[in-house]
């Protein structure tokens, strides 16, 4: 169950069909539909003229990556030799393959490079210091077409900001309420209260909305009760948010201090640099560096010099799970209820989890604690 985003597909296709063609870069967080959109493009463009490459999963050494990509490709490039002697030669051969590959009919082709910023893995090898710059410079002007994606929005904007004549950054924005109807289906979307609650609780995030809808169906529960179940110790969203949290922290510097700042912001936000530094017991200079590293991997936002955790559900996850032991069910219920009260208009008064309202009255989702 994944929602189509035709407006974004049209924008990508328009960039590819422009004269000269541009290179669209799809940016969006985990679970926002980047890979799904690439797969739709592959089906639309035809597998014979299109190759999908998951860079994150397949980028190891430049030599092995070159052999893997060329070996799995439906395209040919007779002038490209995969038997190279150095990482630099392998990368140059890869760029030459991207530029010169042709379909069986001899026509130009399209490469869909998922998580393209992971090409930076190769910067650990001799002779490869500016891989992204060299990649973009190498494929610019090719008759072939390229679509790139990344989950790291801030990094993409920084890396590609001087390439605006060649690249077109396409930001996958949150789902609108109308788009959300396609995710939650006709039964739930017919209820304006349910639709509004799912949209508010998930912030229009495609993956979260899908998980919440599935839990509502499986449990026969209202949105708040379903969210509490998803954020339990073994819940689906707990697993997904754990993955996102660890992945982004490991891509940043200062792992332990960054976790501490996220704990601080989970307790209270927004906070200024000075307020965070006092709680962290570090100097403002060091704290500013830590915050810039969190911004770099899209874990925090800053507006008017006040910092918040970028993803509201991730903040809730930090409050619940960044502790010595897994949270009890009653704590999950309490935190989810407060989260809902802050985000969903007219959240009902506390009632039993999963309780059904009488008549038109909705009694949504809270465990009563004696």
């Amino acid at each position: 169950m994944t929602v189509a985003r035709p407006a974004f597909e049209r924008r990508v296709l328009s960039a590819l069909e422009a004269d000269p063609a541009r290179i669209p870069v799809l940016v969006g967080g985990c679970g926002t539909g980047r890979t799904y959109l690439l797969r739709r493009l592959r089906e639309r463009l035809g597998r014979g003229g299109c190759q999908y490459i998951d860079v994150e999963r397949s980028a190891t050494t430049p030599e092995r990556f070159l052999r893997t990509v060329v070996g799995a490709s439906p395209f040919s490039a007779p002038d490209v030799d995969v038997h190279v002697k150095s990482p630099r030669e392998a990368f140059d051969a890869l760029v030459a393959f991207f530029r010169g590959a042709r379909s069986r009919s001899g026509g130009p082709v399209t490469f869909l490079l998922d998580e393209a910023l992971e090409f930076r893995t190769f910067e650990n090898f001799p002779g490869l210091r500016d891989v992204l710059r060299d990649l973009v410079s190498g494929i610019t002007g090719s008759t072939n077409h390229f679509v790139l994606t990344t989950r790291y929005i801030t990094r993409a904007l920084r890396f590609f900001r001087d390439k605006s004549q060649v690249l077109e950054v396409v930001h996958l924005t949150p789902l609108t309420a109308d788009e959300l109807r396609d995710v939650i289906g006709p039964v739930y979307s017919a209820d304006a209260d349910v639709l509004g609650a799912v949209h508010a609780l998930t912030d229009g995030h495609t993956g979260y909305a899908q998980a919440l809808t599935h839990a509502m169906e499986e449990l026969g529960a209202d949105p708040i009760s379903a969210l509490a179940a998803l954020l339990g110790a073994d819940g689906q969203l707990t697993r997904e948010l754990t993955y996102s949290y660890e992945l982004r922290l490991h891509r940043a510097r200062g792992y332990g201090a960054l976790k501490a700042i996220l704990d601080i912001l989970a307790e209270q936000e927004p906070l200024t640099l000075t307020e965070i530094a006092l709680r962290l017991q570090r100097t403002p200079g060091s704290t500013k560096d830590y915050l810039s590293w969190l911004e770099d991997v899209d874990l925090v936002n800053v507006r008017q010099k006040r910092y918040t955790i970028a993803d509201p559900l991730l903040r809730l996850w930090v409050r619940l799970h960044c502790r010595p032991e897994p949270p009890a069910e009653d704590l999950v219920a309490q935190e989810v209820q407060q989260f809902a009260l802050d985000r969903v208009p007219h959240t009902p008064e506390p009632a039993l989890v999963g309780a059904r309202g009488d008549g038109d009255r909705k009694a949504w989702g809270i465990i009563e604690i004696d």
Side-chain angles (χ1 to χ4, degrees):
M1 180 177 61
T2 305
V3 63
R5 309 293 298 273
F8 292 101
E9 290 183 33
R10 289 194 297 270
R11 185 171 171 186
V12 169
L13 291 170
S14 294
L16 297 178
E17 294 166 359
D19 186 15
R22 295 164 65 82
I23 301 174
V25 183
L26 291 165
V27 299
C30 299
T32 54
R34 301 179 318 279
T35 299
Y36 179 70
L37 199 152
L38 288 189
R39 290 172 179 166
R40 284 181 59 89
L41 287 171
R42 180 173 62 179
E43 296 304 317
R44 183 163 183 167
L45 297 172
R47 291 173 181 258
C50 193
Q51 182 177 5
Y52 169 84
I53 301 172
D54 187 336
V55 180
E56 183 176 43
R57 292 287 176 262
S58 53
T60 52
T61 67
E63 298 92 330
R64 289 182 64 85
F65 185 73
L66 170 66
R67 292 194 295 270
T68 299
V69 169
V70 174
S73 180
F75 313 138
S76 61
D79 295 335
V80 174
D81 183 7
V82 299
H83 302 292
V84 293
K85 298 180 180 179
S86 72
R88 180 76 236 187
E89 289 181 5
F91 183 76
D92 290 342
L94 177 69
V95 173
F97 178 74
F98 285 154
R99 287 181 57 90
R102 290 295 179 265
S103 66
R104 291 182 180 180
S105 63
V109 300
T110 301
F111 288 97
L112 308 175
L113 304 177
D114 206 357
E115 290 301 334
L117 264 60
E118 295 304 311
F119 278 112
R120 295 189 70 204
T121 301
F122 299 151
E123 293 180 354
N124 296 317
F125 295 89
L128 294 170
R129 298 186 61 181
D130 295 296
V131 166
L132 286 178
R133 184 196 64 187
D134 294 345
L135 174 68
V136 174
S137 298
I139 62 179
T140 298
S142 170
T143 56
N144 288 333
H145 296 143
F146 303 87
V147 182
L148 283 53
T149 80
T150 180
R151 63 167 62 89
Y152 299 107
I153 301 168
T154 302
R155 286 185 174 181
L157 294 176
R158 185 177 71 250
F159 289 147
F160 299 138
R161 64 187 171 191
D162 61 342
K163 301 289 185 181
S164 59
Q165 299 300 315
V166 179
L167 303 174
E168 180 173 341
V169 175
V170 180
H171 193 159
L172 286 172
T173 54
L175 296 172
T176 65
D178 285 340
E179 288 176 319
L180 185 61
R181 294 179 189 276
D182 294 331
V183 175
I184 69 176
V187 175
Y188 292 121
S189 62
D191 188 323
D193 289 338
V194 172
L195 178 66
V198 172
H199 193 262
L201 292 171
T202 63
D203 215 27
H205 186 288
T206 306
Y208 299 162
Q210 291 171 343
L212 185 55
T213 302
H214 182 69
M216 289 161 58
E217 293 172 345
E218 288 287 306
L219 302 174
D222 60 77
I224 300 174
S225 299
L227 183 60
L230 289 169
L231 287 169
D234 298 317
Q236 179 185 342
L237 279 186
T238 294
R239 295 191 298 272
E240 292 179 6
L241 289 164
T242 300
Y243 170 79
S244 179
Y245 175 83
E246 294 292 348
L247 176 70
R248 291 180 183 276
L249 281 177
H250 280 292
R251 290 295 194 275
R253 301 163 63 186
Y255 181 77
L258 302 192
K259 290 177 70 176
I261 290 176
L262 292 175
D263 283 346
I264 290 167
L265 290 173
E267 292 173 359
Q268 182 182 352
E269 64 173 24
L271 293 175
T272 65
L273 168 63
T274 301
E275 291 169 334
I276 295 170
L278 288 172
R279 288 165 170 79
L280 190 64
Q281 296 180 297
R282 295 292 185 273
T283 66
S286 296
T287 304
K288 187 173 182 179
D289 286 340
Y290 295 143
L291 287 165
S292 71
W293 299 338
L294 286 168
E295 284 185 83
D296 186 48
V297 291
D298 304 305
L299 279 170
V300 301
N301 289 332
V302 57
R303 290 184 178 87
Q304 298 180 334
K305 299 183 180 181
R306 300 176 75 83
Y307 292 87
T308 61
I309 294 178
D311 183 340
L313 268 181
L314 181 64
R315 178 175 184 257
L316 178 58
W317 176 88
V318 172
R319 288 179 62 87
L320 286 169
H321 292 279
C322 290
R323 57 181 64 240
E325 59 183 10
E329 289 184 3
D330 56 353
L331 177 60
V332 174
Q334 289 173 347
E335 290 285 350
V336 170
Q337 173 68 357
Q338 186 58 55
F339 179 78
L341 285 170
D342 292 340
R343 301 185 66 82
V344 181
H346 313 301
T347 300
E349 292 298 317
L352 293 176
V353 165
R356 302 295 183 183
D358 296 328
D360 293 332
R361 177 181 173 272
K362 290 183 172 64
W364 283 356
I366 310 305
I367 294 176
E368 290 184 335
I369 308 297
D370 293 329

